[in-house]
Amino acid sequence: MVDLTQYLPILIFLGIALALSALFVFLPMGVSRLTGAHNPNADKLSEYECGFPAFEDSRSQFDVRFYLVAILFIIFDLEAAFLFPWAVSLDITGWAGWITMMVFLGELIIGYIYAWKKGALEWE
């Protein structure tokens, strides 16, 4: 017979986490309904991010090039995130760290050239 009482603290923790998250989501909604802050009208439901109504359906698909540019941005942004700690710790890592970073930068440059030649950076 398996003793499941070991899992009781985990279940209690998960129950408290679920209760707190539900409280943080539903309590403000309930309070706004009770205090009258929930009063939808045309001005509140209008577009506020761009200032004008959308041209097409909001559920339309994005072009694949948008995702390619976003992925390339993330890759080269991460490159910069790796360069800062490397530069700070270069005196500790020495030549091994320098050579490793040059290999890393070389791979990124090759990837950048490949994306450039394939036209992934071109936009119409």
Side-chain angles (χ1 to χ4, degrees):
M1 187 104 187
V2 178
D3 185 25
L4 296 178
T5 57
Q6 303 172 28
Y7 295 105
L8 186 60
I10 296 172
L11 291 175
I12 291 172
F13 177 76
L14 288 175
I16 291 172
L18 181 66
L20 281 175
S21 61
L23 184 75
F24 286 144
V25 169
F26 295 116
L27 184 66
M29 291 168 38
V31 169
S32 71
R33 292 219 185 242
L34 291 175
T35 61
H38 178 75
N39 188 13
N41 58 28
D43 289 334
K44 285 186 180 180
L45 298 176
S46 66
E47 295 81 11
Y48 62 92
E49 289 183 1
C50 60
F52 55 87
F55 295 123
E56 18 180 273
D57 185 24
S58 62
R59 292 177 179 85
S60 63
Q61 293 183 346
F62 284 100
D63 193 7
V64 169
R65 290 176 294 181
F66 172 77
Y67 297 108
L68 288 175
V69 170
I71 289 171
L72 288 172
F73 172 76
I74 289 171
I75 288 171
F76 290 107
D77 191 41
L78 285 176
E79 171 193 355
F82 282 128
L83 283 175
F84 289 118
W86 168 77
V88 170
S89 65
L90 187 58
D91 58 340
I92 298 169
T93 58
W95 282 103
W98 188 83
I99 292 170
T100 304
M101 185 53 72
M102 292 305 116
V103 169
F104 175 69
L105 290 174
E107 290 174 355
L108 282 173
I109 290 170
I110 291 170
Y112 179 72
I113 292 170
Y114 176 77
W116 191 353
K117 293 289 184 187
K118 286 291 186 179
L121 303 175
E122 305 269 332
W123 201 265
E124 295 176 354

